[in-house]
Amino acid sequence: MSQPQPIGSPLVHIAGVEKYFQRGAEKIHVLAELNLAVAPGEFLALMGPSGSGKSTLLNLIGGLDRPTKGTVTVAGERIDQLSDRQLADWRARHIGFVFQLYNLMPVLNAERNVELPLLLTHLNAAQRAQHVAAALALVGLSHRAKHFPRTLSGGEQQRVGIARGIVTDPTLLLCDEPTGDLDRKAGDEILDLLCALNREHGKTIVMVTHDPHASARASRTVHLFKGQITNEAVK
Amino acid sequence: MSGLLNWLSQVAAITKFGLLSIPQRRGSVAATICGTAGVVAVFIGVLSIATGFRRVMASSGAPDAAIVLRSGADSEMVSGFGRDETRLIADAPGLARNARGPLVSAELFVIINLPKRSTGTDANVPLRGVEGAAAEVREQLKIVSGRMFEPGKNEVIVGVGAAREFAGLDAGAVVKVGRESWPVVGIFTASGGLAESEMWTDAKVLQAAYQRGDSFQSVYARLASPGAFQQFKDALTSNPRLSVKVERVSDYYAGQSTMLASLITGLGVLIAALMAVGAVFGALNTMYSAVAARTREIATLRALGFGSGAVVLALMLESLALALGGGAIGAGAAYAVFNNFTAATMNWQSFSQVTFAFAVTPTLLVQGVIWATLIGLIGGLLPAIRAARLPIASALREL
Ligand SMILES: Nc1ncnc2c1ncn2[C@@H]1O[C@H](COP(=O)(O)OP(=O)(O)O)[C@@H](O)[C@H]1O
Ligand SMILES: [Mg+2]
């Protein structure tokens, strides 16, 4: 862990969070009276039907958006009160994102994509190259370092995405439907990789999915329905 | 310091994506570049006309040459003197002299019609009658082929500009005007000055041919020194037997060129401004579509922690790079096409043709680049701000 935590205190703490979007005169209520805690070292799956507010919740945890009401505390810091600029810096230091559609830069090859978050650190080029090589090795793609996204399979692209997500050794890895666009075999490989990152490297992971097969791999599953947590299942 | 370097490396990284992705946006990028190139080329092209015209007028007079006109006359066209008056002028103090006397030339001119080489249509050429000292009064005059006309004979010499512009003005040819025949005996240069657009003959011969008696329209004089101008002028204006106006030749021509040069400059700026509006919309469109095409990429970068200031600056740099690319092409094209391109135009004060070369000067090239810069900055700003303002969460939802 990059951030030492008092024993027993959660890494992510969400209390009384409400979120609505304003669309014209209409208020779209997405999350209501939501409470959630994620312990350090957990691999949490957020399950629920489409439109239930999973991505919205993940965005709040990752500092991409702010709640309408309530508090979001990550690693002891109230991020719901940070300015846009502070949030950007905070994300660079604490969060790794993995997207359903990988979101790689098509004009950059694999290692340049993985290097991107390191441009926001104080590492020099040689140090960055070291970190990139380590991250690509971890996801098993060292031999594809010079390949461009369009020449990689979906599973390989997602592995580049994961390497980019972990290259800065973030406090928290957030994945939004990481297997949603992959076939079963490639999806399983990605889930294996996430499990390994969690078990062997102690990464705390929050993963949004609507696939029970994926959530079965997590250490705990939280079900979301119409913006509220309906039940929790701990393995 | 490392914070700044870090920020600059963010800007560099985002700019690089933009430039690398240009091949995928070939159409709109090409339109922007062409639009900007067009503005810059037209701007430089039109203004090179004004610059070239001013240059001719400016090189038409040395600072130690003066012109004397009837008081109240704005140009030679409406001025007039008798022989007794021109003698008084020649006797004034402050003039340069040689063995034959003071360097003054009393002159008159008529306008004749000749066909232009390019179109075959008739246009006006001044035929100027000069006195013996005319060539010395205009120090820069040089015969480049043939010889000087002989006093008392129906012979003309022709300026290179006029010879180039009008048909039948080659050395050895004969110009027929009415019942008179004027053999062309020589071609002259006047270091780019206005005289190069004229034909010259002996003043006495011209007076006789056009029944002008012994009258003139102007007196050109070479001063003993540029500083002698005031003395010369004061002597003439205080003489009760004369009613004249005295100017340095350089000032006189500069005054004549102002109107036309300003007209051309104004027109050039107007046309360029209108085109620039179009080019700005082109750049706006290109950058808006660049931003739209990259909404998700930009949102991803910002999710990773890239700052919105870096995004704005990078998009501005991209727009600027495209506009400057277009500007460079436009400036290069304008230089290749317009520099030293020769033309003739009406000198409205003498109602005759002035030939001159377009001049694409470094100043004009710099001004063209400034236009391109403005187009790039204006066209890039709004799309860049939009990209930076877009909420990340909703931008990430777009496919
Ligand atoms: N930026 C937004 N503006 C307006 N409505 C939004 C926005 N983001 C999400 N929503 C709405 O909130 C609801 C939940 O969306 P989301 O969190 O993406 O659900 P999920 O990820 O569970 O499918 C949906 O009805 C969606 O339309
Ligand atoms: Mg979602």
Side-chain angles (χ1 to χ4, degrees), chain A residues 19-23 26 28-31 46-59 65 176-177 208-210 224 227, chain B residues 391-395 397:
Chain A
K19 176 72 182 174
Y20 60 78
F21 294 101
Q22 195 81 40
R23 196 178 283 162
E26 191 193 0
I28 304 163
H29 287 270
V30 181
L31 302 175
L46 275 178
M47 281 275 280
S50 179
S52 57
K54 306 180 298 290
S55 297
T56 303
L57 178 56
L58 197 73
N59 289 343
D65 209 348
D176 196 344
E177 314 249 12
V208 163
T209 181
H210 60 252
L224 214 56
Chain B
I392 305 173
S394 40
R397 299 171 74 87

Side-chain angles (χ1 to χ4, degrees), chain B residues 41-398:
Chain B
V42 166
F43 172 80
I44 292 177
V46 175
L47 265 66
S48 73
I49 301 174
T51 312
F53 185 66
R54 269 207 206 92
R55 187 179 275 180
V56 170
M57 294 309 236
S59 51
S60 293
D64 59 349
I67 178 172
V68 185
L69 299 176
R70 172 162 299 286
S71 128
D74 280 335
S75 72
E76 290 180 272
M77 286 289 282
V78 293
S79 172
F81 294 123
R83 168 65 68 187
D84 41 345
E85 288 167 307
T86 62
R87 279 214 187 95
L88 283 173
I89 294 167
D91 287 341
L95 292 178
R97 333 185 123 255
N98 66 9
R100 275 163 288 146
L103 298 186
V104 289
S105 165
E107 304 184 354
L108 71 158
F109 73 90
V110 298
I111 302 290
I112 61 173
N113 262 295
L114 289 177
K116 291 183 104 171
R117 278 193 208 274
S118 53
T119 56
T121 53
D122 282 359
N124 295 336
V125 195
L127 173 54
R128 181 181 289 274
V130 302
E131 293 189 322
E136 280 150 293
V137 167
R138 296 174 181 77
E139 191 177 39
Q140 334 101 313
L141 190 109
K142 216 161 87 195
I143 301 284
V144 290
S145 81
R147 56 169 175 84
M148 188 67 183
F149 63 80
E150 261 181 52
K153 284 196 173 169
N154 263 27
E155 292 177 345
V156 294
I157 57 172
V158 174
V160 281
R164 189 174 51 225
E165 204 62 35
F166 292 95
L169 289 188
D170 309 296
V174 176
V175 183
K176 280 202 158 54
V177 185
R179 283 170 294 124
E180 305 281 344
S181 291
W182 303 90
V184 177
V185 297
I187 305 287
F188 67 91
T189 61
S191 60
L194 197 58
E196 288 185 0
S197 306
E198 299 179 338
M199 300 163 63
W200 283 11
T201 186
D202 182 10
K204 282 208 170 61
V205 173
L206 196 64
Q207 284 173 336
Y210 284 83
Q211 284 100 44
R212 294 283 187 94
D214 205 7
S215 73
F216 298 90
Q217 284 163 280
S218 57
V219 176
Y220 283 77
R222 173 162 291 271
L223 302 166
S225 74
F229 176 74
Q230 201 58 43
Q231 184 194 12
F232 176 65
K233 179 177 176 173
D234 289 346
L236 293 184
T237 47
S238 64
N239 186 335
R241 292 162 66 196
L242 286 173
S243 170
V244 298
K245 150 172 164 183
V246 185
E247 275 189 277
R248 288 186 199 274
V249 175
S250 49
D251 291 345
Y252 172 70
Y253 284 127
Q256 293 214 329
S257 66
T258 324
M259 187 185 85
L260 190 57
S262 322
L263 185 76
I264 296 172
T265 304
L267 208 66
V269 170
L270 184 73
I271 296 171
L274 288 176
M275 288 182 67
V277 171
V280 163
F281 278 107
L284 272 175
N285 180 53
T286 301
M287 291 313 292
Y288 268 129
S289 53
V291 167
R294 276 185 281 158
T295 299
R296 203 156 60 96
E297 279 179 35
I298 291 170
T300 303
L301 288 170
R302 291 178 58 207
L304 298 181
F306 282 77
S308 47
V311 169
V312 170
L313 187 60
L315 288 170
M316 297 285 290
L317 284 176
E318 178 181 332
S319 168
L320 198 57
L322 296 184
L324 284 178
I329 293 173
Y335 186 83
V337 174
F338 294 118
N339 198 38
N340 291 330
F341 179 84
T342 57
T345 187
M346 200 72 157
N347 174 3
W348 295 101
Q349 270 76 16
S350 65
F351 289 98
S352 52
Q353 297 278 314
V354 178
T355 60
F356 62 98
F358 291 21
V360 177
T361 59
T363 314
L364 276 187
L365 293 175
V366 168
Q367 286 174 348
V369 170
I370 291 174
W371 278 80
T373 306
L374 288 178
I375 291 169
L377 289 181
I378 297 171
L381 187 63
L382 294 176
I385 288 177
R386 171 192 276 191
R389 285 257 179 92
L390 223 53
I392 305 173
S394 40
L396 281 172
R397 299 171 74 87
E398 288 183 24

Side-chain angles (χ1 to χ4, degrees), chain A residues 105-118:
Chain A
M105 304 296 138
V107 294
L108 301 184
N109 66 19
E111 61 181 11
R112 292 279 167 230
N113 265 291
V114 175
E115 188 191 16
L116 279 175
L118 295 176

Side-chain angles (χ1 to χ4, degrees), chain A residues 88 91 101 103 106 108 120-121, chain B residues 6 10 17 296 300 302-303:
Chain A
R91 287 193 301 269
L101 297 175
N103 292 22
L108 301 184
L120 304 170
T121 67
Chain B
N6 175 294
Q10 290 183 39
F17 307 146
R296 203 156 60 96
T300 303
R302 291 178 58 207

